[in-house]
Amino acid sequence: MSENLNTLFHVPTSDLNLVMVEMGQAFRTGLNYDDQNIKMIPSYVKELPTGHEVEKVLALDLGNPSLILGGTNFRVLLVSLEGEGKVSSRQAKFAVTEEQKKANGTVLFDFFAAKVHQFILAENIGEIPHSLGFTFSFPVYQTAIDQGYLIHWAKGFENEGVINCDVVQLLQQAFIRKGLDINIVALLNDPVGTLTKHAYRNTKTSIAVILGTGTNAAYVEEISNIKKLKSNESGHMIVNTEWGGFSGSSLPINRFDIALDRSSENPGKQIYEKMISGLYLGELTRLVLVHLADDRGLFHAQVPNSLRKAYSFQTAYMSQIEMDTSDLLLDVSVLLRQKYEIESSFVDRQVVKYVCQLIGMRAAQLAAAGIATLVRKIDQLDDSTVAVDGSLYAHYPGFEGRMRDTLFELLGSDAGNIKIEHATDGSGQGAGILAALHKTI
Ligand code: ADP
Ligand code: MG
């Protein structure tokens, strides 16, 4: 049983090398042309912070899921750049209700403006900063640092009158209606904010990776390499890769990946992401466990309905299972009983843990292959810092170690020059830092 699974999920170095070659090609094609496999979206961020900036600015963060409030988060932040690489912030969090997600666009943006107003009053912040950075985690066609058009909504939003419109303008008009003297000077998404935030702390940061619900990466590219911009400018720009959209024949896809993809909300899309990120790893594990029970006698060949339910097996369970190093795997036993009323044998539990290890390992290997490809692309094998944010990276035991081992496997001793650092709150504080860098008054 185990040998078979091992062949399905184990990725030899030679295959990871093929992934690197194909991703490298996809990065280049994405820089040359619009709408490619890896989109390589220019961010119009041409300047990174030095860490010495001292400033107070506002930031908005829309589109990250809210674990506590449910639904989607909307945050308002007062971000203080304190110099010496230190940033602090005060914030208010609001859940966007299902009703608000279906309202007219004007109603939605007026709600944001009202919350900004409320925050300013409640926080008693004295002189109100004029500049605001806006993290908008939806597909946007960006045309300037402060201009971007919504391509389509996601995450349950359906507000009319926003698609194909400049979301900065829509928010700016809502501020004007509310009488707020605030300028939206930067529009960004999560990985761009993460790169900026971490660069404020550590100016060597040139790559940011998100390993959470989804996966994405941003990095600093030479403008002359972003051919589709058709610009004569020199210098650098952050590129938002949208690498989660990568697919290609080099990806070691097996029948469980295919099953997951087919029954997903976006079949055929985000294939790399479906092998790596938190939204999917638990589901992939569940599909394998159900197969092993149905066909190979796991759990006495009995699958409770609770385990048959799609997405019932959270990626966080994998963390708990991998963390259990007790002789009899008692935590695994408790988890299976509590979540699925499964009375497991010791062998069952060993198999469950083994499946988690295989799937967690493959995810870390593939993420590391992406990082190695980017480090090679920017030719920073001698010294580079990669900022990583997301709960999968932060909480999955051994994820970072597996990535690091894979970097050595792929890059040899040069991997020792790559620092992987945990980044936090790029979507909030990163937006603030970009607002400070782009403020006009
Ligand atoms: P987002 O990426 O949506 O901004 P997070 O970075 O918090 O938010 O990632 C949330 C995702 O991380 C969840 O969808 C879940 O799959 C995964 N996750 C949360 N907790 C854990 C954990 N303990 N172990 C592994 N994965 C986790
Ligand atoms: Mg996040």
Side-chain angles (χ1 to χ4, degrees), residues 64-65 67 190 210-214 278-279 315-316 319 390-392 395-396:
N64 282 308
L67 292 177
D190 208 2
I210 307 293
L211 291 167
T213 305
L279 181 57
T315 302
S319 289
S391 294
L392 178 70
H395 301 307
Y396 199 117

Side-chain angles (χ1 to χ4, degrees), residues 84-236:
E84 296 176 11
K86 285 203 199 74
V87 187
S88 63
S89 54
R90 286 195 266 162
Q91 64 167 19
K93 244 187 216 191
F94 310 93
V96 182
T97 64
E98 291 309 308
E99 198 183 351
Q100 283 164 330
K101 290 179 178 182
K102 313 254 176 311
N104 188 281
T106 314
V107 174
L108 181 74
F109 283 92
D110 278 340
F111 163 71
F112 297 155
K115 290 301 172 193
V116 171
H117 190 222
Q118 184 187 322
F119 175 77
I120 288 169
L121 294 178
E123 289 290 317
N124 202 0
I125 57 182
E127 200 185 337
I128 301 165
H130 285 293
S131 302
L132 179 142
F134 184 20
T135 301
F136 185 73
S137 297
F138 295 92
V140 161
Y141 177 67
Q142 192 147 2
T143 45
I145 183 66
D146 58 354
Q147 191 174 57
Y149 298 81
L150 178 66
I151 299 168
H152 58 79
W153 278 121
K155 308 172 192 190
F157 283 76
E158 293 173 11
N159 313 79
E160 239 174 76
V162 187
I163 293 171
N164 291 328
C165 294
D166 176 6
V167 293
V168 173
Q169 273 306 314
L170 293 178
L171 183 60
Q172 192 67 66
Q173 282 156 10
F175 285 171
I176 292 168
R177 283 194 294 275
K178 191 80 198 163
L180 291 170
D181 182 17
I182 296 169
N183 250 339
I184 305 149
V185 294
L187 176 71
L188 59 143
N189 74 352
D190 208 2
V192 173
T194 300
L195 177 38
T196 307
K197 160 74 199 294
H198 208 73
Y200 189 82
R201 241 175 92 144
N202 176 350
T203 52
K204 294 217 163 125
T205 313
S206 49
I207 296 173
V209 174
I210 307 293
L211 291 167
T213 305
T215 183
N216 194 4
Y219 75 107
V220 180
E221 181 58 280
E222 286 173 31
I223 294 178
S224 60
N225 285 339
I226 315 174
K227 299 250 165 27
K228 64 185 174 185
L229 272 184
K230 299 186 173 70
S231 163
N232 297 324
E233 266 181 82
S234 58
H236 294 82

